[in-house]
Amino acid sequence: MAVNNTSKVLLVLSALVALAAVFWPSGGPGGAPGSPEVAGSSNAAAEERCPLGFTGPNPHTFGTSKQQAGKGPGAPVPLAAMAPAARTSSAGGGGPGGRSARGGDDDPLGRLHLFFNATIWTGVEPPPGQEGAAAAAAAAAAGNGGGGGGVKRGRVPLASAMLVQRGGVVAVGSLEEVRAAAEAAAAAAAAAAAAPGTDEAAVQAEVEVVGHDMGGRLLLPGFVDAHVHLVPGGLGLARTGVADLRGAASRQEVAARVAAAAAALGPEEWVLGGQWDEGDWGGQLPDRSWLDEAAGGRPAYLPRHDLHMALANTAALQRAGLLQPPAAAAGAAAVAGAAGAAGAAGAADAESGVSAGAAAAAGEDGGGGGGGGGAPEAAAVPPHVEGGVVDVDPATGLPTGILRERAMGLVAAAVPEPPPAARAAAVAAAGRLALSRGVTAVGDMGRYPTADPDSPWRDLVDVYMPLARAGRLPLRLYTHVPLSTWRKLVPYQLVYGRSHPGGRLHWGGLKDFADGSLGSRTALMWAPYLLPHSDSDSDSSSSARAGVNNSTTSNSGGSNGGDEGCGVEGEGGGGRSTGSAPRCGQRATGREELRQLAAAAVKAGLQVSVHAIGDRAVDEVVGAFAAALAAGVEAGVDAAEEAERAEQRQQQAAAGAAGGEGEAAAESEEAALRRRVRQLGERLRLRVEHVQHVSGAANVSAALAAAGATPVPNPLHLLTDAPMLRPRLGAERAARAFPLASLAAAGLRPALASDWPVVDLQPVTGVYAAVHRAAPPPPVAAAANCLLPRHAPPLPQPVGTATTTTTATTTAAAAAGSSSHGADLAAPATAGEVCDAFLASVAAAGLGEAEQAEAASGCAPEALLLGGLRGPEGGRGGGDEAAVGDGGAGAGAGAGAGGSGGEGDDERLSVEAALLGHTAWGARAIGLEGFTGVLAPGARADFVEVAVGGRGGAAAWLGSDQPAAAAAARLRRCLPVVLRTWVDGRLVYDVEERAQEAAGAEAKG
Ligand SMILES: [Zn+2]
């Protein structure tokens, strides 16, 4: 399907009547479908909202004047290899100055680019009345009575045209408004030309306008993914010899994939990869013997898909010093003996029958093994890992190969670090993937929790900075370093600021972990996990079951109120090596340690982002934030803002606003403290990552709101965790999980994130999951491929649809599945093949022509979903795929379609809120509010063109006159498809180019 939507129009506007340097016609009310609100979002307002120390709507030095453009050391450099933009600006022909337009150039001389014939969803949130304390408090109160109806936020305005210059948005609105803005800009340039000493050629360029006909497509701000792991994700894409264990359904399959990966490696190289899920083969946890033979003597280290557990083989444990090799075992008797002595302290639990953990076990085995002399291997130095567990086999006392949480670091540290060039290649690969999904900005959370604390620094200094200097960062990147290294960040910011002047690289986030994950039973909960009881539950392997049961026994006398018998794991910073998962999860960082670090960072004016999945972990993080903020306010961290606010209040009072003065005077000391705490929290963007479970007693949404925190939930985790919610937590806690709507209702702005590569990088399906709390039905996902050119790589399979059972959709789903998991770089199938398979299934279902036509356009009609073709999640989700409630069931931001009785139905986000979560709110979480994530004057021109298919087009879907439920229903039928992606006003991804590449490769092969 060829869409030639870009006309080659070159409008030459001569220097017209220069009325004034009026940038925008009115800034006031304008004609529909323009967006006067957008036009009115003045720089001053944006400045206020851009609080991470940036000084304007554009935190950088380039972009506004021609003196700066294209000259500074950090000026953007064209991504020649990735910017097939010829079509959009190959207008050719001589301009007024005789210059011919150069295709794909970044226009350093500042021509005006006018994008028209589009539906532009601007991502600009209309002001919800007052942003003040009262409004937020009222919202919090209203939103937390249950029901999750959501706060009624205004609708994001649509526009139809946009003016871009030097990669920045100059104007957004109706075509008339934007043309007027272009004329004004040209006139201003012409007037400037009159000034003596001006470079005439340069000025001449500024009066050129390049037109881009967008063919009626929907334009969205580039997606922001606020939490990814860029280097590990990119390494997984770029490297050969990686064992990708996703979907491996048996021990044999695991071994086969490991063997295949190992075959591509040298004899000493590590087999890496992972992403396994024991649920895929029935729930038994694997052990090192699964990998030993397949790896052919090479060390293998394979994290579970959630990255909170890992499987290491014998060679890897030996490299890490957790096992002695057989040859060394006898000779190491002395070492083992020493280990025994050291381990004695840890042996206390052994009496109670608990599998005593690596520490004690090492001691016992060290004695036995050394004495016997014939032991094939022996445990080595007893590891005491804070916030981690080395699983041991109760029978032998040796590590099984399963490492939980920070114990993963014992082996991860032994894996050689890829050199900077390899990591830079990984960033490039990650960038290609991200741009193809419409993601133009990411929050990078560093390498895995287990890597050493300096690795994110090495990525920043040795990889990201050089890429930024060379102009080779493919997307915008905001990076975190470990919270424990905050002292290093202070001088770094003094020297380098917070951003590279090129505008692509930003830093300043501090990351830490409060707990683990639900999948690994290490998320810290107030109440215990349910005991494993079914084969489908992941931890039901015999050894883990024994451990948990024993743990229950040893704790049974200690029940006390709030803890409900939970042992307090990791109190004061110490984790335990119990040999199995703890009952209520565990802390990854000691509570007091976390509080102290957060307080120190806040006092230094730094952003803190803490991973917290369990309800207790979330409460503790919020508590730490609140305390840190209160101390920060006391220390005057917010003194400057506070003085400014006081001045504003005085001015208002002086201006004679009756009542204003009274209100200001009426604020009690206590209320002032609460307000300042919240405002400081908002300014510093204190983030809670994941926020997957919230406590019942304390209203965590209110606490989060009071701390001005920024939640960063993962809708796609909902899909992977859904099957284990009930078995592990019970119905009540399961229903409250992933509280997306509650967070939005509390006046917060949840920034959505994938946590890639924990799950795939798919904002479109992330939006879908946030709205429908299910994966897109396979027919819808398959139908979306019909929107792509035939030879384009197919859309990835949405997470959670791997096990389709419905006959008629199997073909299509299988075809779609072949390209899953970001492997689109080398996907065998094409979109056309997936589409054909899908249409065959539609034909088999006996649909009428109209339905087939709609399906072919990418929108499976409801009949298709309801006529016996529903995917499994339709049943599991309890009504998610039931009749679509277009009838306005549930208004407001929190309302989705009118499903009935599904788990967590109250927590659905509206389409608009979900889109904001992946655009404007995501940008806010990475400190780039107003700079990206919106299409408004002052923002960078980062945007995606998407096809939505079906009748009525984009406006019928997102138009402000459409009820929220209609948008949700529409999303259920039509998965948007990213066709092109622009960063800094340059085309950096085009699905048609990819299609041609694929066709070329096919012809060659
Ligand atoms: Zn993460």
Side-chain angles (χ1 to χ4, degrees):
M1 185 182 92
V3 181
N4 185 3
N5 71 331
T6 310
S7 77
K8 299 168 179 176
V9 180
L10 180 66
L11 301 169
V12 179
L13 298 177
S14 50
L16 295 167
V17 207
L19 278 180
V22 181
F23 203 61
W24 191 261
S26 69
S35 59
E37 296 94 329
V38 178
S41 73
S42 70
N43 288 359
E47 212 162 302
E48 271 179 17
R49 291 197 317 264
C50 199
L52 267 186
F54 298 138
T55 52
N58 173 345
H60 311 286
T61 52
F62 70 95
T64 45
S65 82
K66 68 171 189 278
Q67 284 79 8
Q68 289 167 332
K71 288 183 184 162
V77 170
L79 298 168
M82 302 179 55
R87 191 179 303 106
T88 67
S89 56
S90 62
R99 281 174 66 253
S100 62
R102 290 174 297 162
D105 206 338
D106 62 335
D107 264 1
L109 293 180
R111 290 183 308 169
L112 294 157
H113 292 260
L114 202 165
F115 296 82
F116 62 97
N117 189 18
T119 299
I120 303 173
W121 184 86
T122 57
V124 176
E125 214 184 343
Q130 307 96 320
E131 286 268 329
N144 287 297
V151 168
K152 185 115 185 149
R153 295 188 195 268
R155 302 302 296 267
V156 167
L158 299 179
S160 58
M162 176 169 70
L163 187 66
V164 171
Q165 188 175 38
R166 293 190 191 92
V169 178
V170 174
V172 181
S174 68
L175 181 59
E176 296 72 42
E177 291 166 328
V178 170
R179 279 185 74 131
E183 286 172 19
T198 309
D199 176 357
E200 219 169 286
V203 171
Q204 201 64 62
E206 293 192 1
V207 301
E208 285 182 48
V209 178
V210 183
H212 304 264
D213 185 341
M214 304 313 279
R217 280 181 189 165
L218 174 63
L219 266 57
L220 302 171
F223 292 122
V224 179
D225 193 322
H227 179 134
V228 303
H229 302 272
L230 203 66
V231 167
L235 286 171
L237 291 174
R239 203 166 40 194
T240 56
V242 169
D244 185 342
L245 299 182
R246 278 174 282 206
S250 66
R251 176 178 178 152
Q252 290 71 28
E253 203 173 337
V254 169
R257 293 195 198 178
V258 168
L265 296 170
E268 288 299 302
E269 284 188 88
W270 284 66
V271 182
L272 300 171
Q275 308 275 43
W276 50 272
D277 185 341
E278 70 279 11
D280 290 343
W281 56 74
Q284 188 199 357
L285 277 180
D287 63 52
R288 59 194 159 99
S289 71
W290 288 37
L291 310 178
D292 283 345
E293 198 177 316
R298 295 171 190 84
Y301 174 70
L302 302 168
R304 191 179 186 271
H305 74 90
D306 67 355
L307 306 177
H308 290 275
M309 218 194 259
L311 175 63
N313 72 351
T314 300
L317 293 169
Q318 288 168 349
R319 305 271 175 112
L322 296 176
L323 274 175
Q324 298 285 347
V335 175
D349 278 346
E351 279 188 18
S352 65
V354 178
S355 79
E364 286 161 11
D365 189 81
E377 53 194 1
V381 183
H384 172 74
V385 188
E386 300 215 346
V389 175
V390 179
D391 277 19
V392 296
D393 182 340
T396 64
L398 296 172
T400 65
I402 289 291
L403 309 154
R404 298 177 197 250
E405 304 300 336
R406 297 210 171 183
M408 294 165 65
L410 298 171
V411 174
V415 179
E417 176 173 81
R423 284 180 276 147
V427 172
R432 278 194 298 276
L433 175 71
L435 296 173
S436 76
R437 306 283 169 80
V439 175
T440 58
V442 296
D444 175 44
M445 310 311 285
R447 285 187 246 167
Y448 293 147
T450 52
D452 77 278
D454 279 329
S455 71
W457 279 103
R458 289 197 296 275
D459 286 343
L460 173 59
V461 173
D462 300 338
V463 180
Y464 299 152
M465 270 296 211
L467 285 175
R469 287 195 191 105
R472 285 174 50 222
L473 264 185
L475 75 178
R476 243 173 265 293
L477 172 58
Y478 174 76
T479 192
H480 281 71
V481 293
L483 176 57
S484 60
T485 67
W486 70 271
R487 275 192 185 83
K488 202 167 158 184
L489 186 57
V490 174
Y492 192 85
Q493 290 194 341
L494 283 175
V495 175
Y496 296 104
R498 293 166 188 261
S499 301
H500 183 272
R504 294 283 172 96
L505 177 61
H506 313 266
W507 54 86
L510 291 164
K511 169 81 189 290
D512 209 341
F513 291 81
D515 67 345
S517 76
L518 182 66
S520 296
R521 291 179 173 270
T522 47
L524 185 65
M525 304 296 295
W526 283 109
Y529 289 92
L530 302 190
L531 293 178
H533 58 273
S534 79
D535 285 340
S536 65
D537 192 34
S538 308
D539 275 4
S540 55
S541 69
S542 56
S543 65
R545 189 199 302 266
V548 170
N549 284 337
N550 280 329
S551 175
T552 306
T553 309
S554 68
N555 278 327
S556 60
S559 275
N560 58 14
D563 276 9
E564 293 184 38
C566 286
V568 183
E569 315 290 347
E571 189 66 80
R576 299 191 318 179
S577 296
T578 60
S580 67
R583 275 189 87 212
C584 299
Q586 64 181 158
R587 292 194 179 91
T589 305
R591 190 161 168 241
E592 198 43 47
E593 184 188 354
L594 185 65
R595 289 174 80 91
Q596 284 171 7
L597 285 170
V602 164
K603 227 172 231 183
L606 300 171
Q607 180 190 27
V608 182
S609 305
V610 184
H611 165 120
I613 286 182
D615 53 8
R616 184 169 183 175
V618 172
D619 284 347
E620 291 186 359
V621 169
V622 171
F625 283 174
L629 289 166
V633 164
E634 202 172 318
V637 174
D638 65 338
E641 310 137 65
E642 191 57 16
E644 213 170 283
R645 279 194 289 264
E647 199 175 308
Q648 279 170 4
R649 274 198 301 271
Q650 270 180 0
Q651 282 170 0
Q652 280 166 6
E661 194 183 2
E663 255 175 56
E667 188 184 37
S668 71
E669 215 170 291
E670 223 181 287
L673 180 65
R674 276 200 303 273
R675 175 180 57 74
R676 289 174 65 179
V677 159
R678 201 194 63 253
Q679 282 170 333
L680 182 60
E682 283 175 0
R683 172 165 79 80
L684 294 181
R685 302 280 196 274
L686 301 187
R687 289 172 36 162
V688 186
E689 308 300 309
H690 313 306
V691 213
Q692 193 165 310
H693 306 283
V694 299
S695 69
N699 188 336
V700 77
S701 291
L704 275 161
T710 301
V712 186
N714 314 103
L716 290 176
H717 284 191
L718 169 62
L719 307 183
T720 53
D721 282 10
M724 56 177 111
L725 286 174
R726 270 170 187 266
R728 297 197 169 188
L729 301 176
E732 196 198 329
R733 285 188 291 180
R736 296 164 45 85
F738 293 90
L740 301 182
S742 291
L743 293 169
L748 300 166
R749 292 179 175 82
L752 302 186
S754 68
D755 206 7
W756 182 71
V758 173
V759 296
D760 203 358
L761 188 66
Q762 293 190 40
V764 168
T765 40
V767 165
Y768 188 99
V771 172
H772 289 301
R773 293 177 80 82
V780 173
N785 283 290
C786 296
L787 285 178
L788 296 170
R790 287 201 62 80
H791 293 287
L795 293 182
Q797 178 197 32
V799 181
T801 59
T803 52
T804 301
T805 52
T806 316
T807 325
T809 60
T810 303
T811 321
S818 65
S819 71
S820 67
H821 307 313
D824 66 336
L825 299 174
T830 65
E833 288 164 21
V834 177
C835 178
D836 287 346
F838 166 66
L839 291 180
S841 76
V842 169
L847 295 181
E849 264 178 41
E851 283 86 357
Q852 289 201 37
E854 189 164 4
S857 76
C859 291
E862 276 138 67
L864 190 62
L865 303 177
L866 299 174
L869 294 176
R870 287 152 51 172
E873 52 286 316
R876 169 158 36 87
D880 186 75
E881 306 306 331
V884 175
D886 275 73
S900 56
E903 199 142 84
D905 266 354
D906 291 347
E907 293 294 354
R908 294 159 183 254
L909 281 186
S910 69
V911 171
E912 183 171 283
L915 282 174
L916 283 167
H918 256 313
T919 55
W921 297 349
R924 184 180 173 276
I926 60 173
L928 298 179
E929 184 174 25
F931 183 64
T932 191
V934 291
L935 292 173
R940 300 307 296 165
D942 301 347
F943 60 95
V944 291
E945 297 170 50
V946 298
V948 290
R951 305 185 191 104
W957 180 37
L958 285 170
S960 60
D961 52 339
Q962 299 294 327
R970 173 65 178 258
L971 180 67
R972 192 198 300 280
R973 289 178 289 141
C974 302
L975 206 58
V977 175
V978 172
L979 297 176
R980 302 204 295 183
T981 305
W982 301 69
V983 176
D984 282 328
R986 284 198 295 281
L987 186 62
V988 290
Y989 167 77
D990 185 338
V991 71
E992 288 186 56
E993 305 282 336
R994 289 282 295 275
Q996 284 158 19
E997 273 170 35
E1002 233 167 65
K1004 268 185 219 161

